[in-house]
Amino acid sequence: FLRDVRLDQGADLAGRRVVVVGGGNVAMDAARTARRLGAASVTVAYRRGREEMPAHGPEIDDAEREGVRFAFLAAPVAVVADPTGAVRGLTCTKMALGAPDASGRRRPEPIAGSEFTMDCEVVIAAIEEMFQ
């Protein structure tokens, strides 16, 4: 997404609802860029709480100032599409924080039966593990 925008090949996000999945600096960059491209709303979905986000505090603060919303303790489960394949939402599970994991951050654990759907037309994955 960010590379495409840099190469002037970014998607037209004017008036669209965007969900960015992730909690790092790249997620903040993607969310802020989506707002600047005219998205009607941008929500960052992160499976832990704000305190556990790996993004730098000023990056998070700047995203908030630019109108980015946050859905903490929310882990994506599935992208919802209409019959034509167009994105219509992101189904997530609510999470609770358990014992710390190997990184020292509290491990997110799913809450059974807590699934909910965030309405959106665009989902941007900004999760570090995807690229390792």
Side-chain angles (χ1 to χ4, degrees):
F1 169 73
L2 292 172
R3 180 182 55 86
D4 288 348
V5 170
R6 176 84 168 135
L7 297 173
D8 289 328
Q9 300 170 357
D12 178 11
L13 299 181
R16 301 178 83 188
R17 297 169 294 177
V18 177
V19 175
V20 176
V21 179
N25 291 322
V26 172
M28 298 307 107
D29 291 345
R32 294 172 70 193
T33 299
R35 284 295 291 161
R36 292 172 187 168
L37 291 174
S41 68
V42 178
T43 303
V44 171
Y46 183 58
R47 64 191 183 129
R48 291 182 165 106
R50 182 183 179 121
E51 297 76 29
E52 292 80 25
M53 289 183 85
H56 298 119
E59 291 281 335
I60 300 166
D61 295 340
D62 288 345
E64 279 185 319
R65 275 191 288 278
E66 290 187 39
V68 173
R69 292 182 242 154
F70 291 85
F72 294 113
L73 298 170
V77 175
V79 174
V80 178
D82 69 15
T84 69
V87 173
R88 293 294 171 238
L90 182 68
T91 299
C92 297
T93 297
K94 292 182 182 179
M95 307 297 278
L97 295 179
D101 63 13
S103 73
R105 295 180 295 166
R106 293 175 58 195
R107 176 184 305 276
E109 299 171 353
I111 298 172
S114 67
E115 290 77 21
F116 65 99
T117 300
M118 295 192 295
D119 295 331
C120 64
E121 291 84 30
V122 177
V123 176
I124 299 171
I127 303 171
E128 181 179 340
E129 290 84 41
M130 292 179 62
F131 303 106
Q132 292 183 349

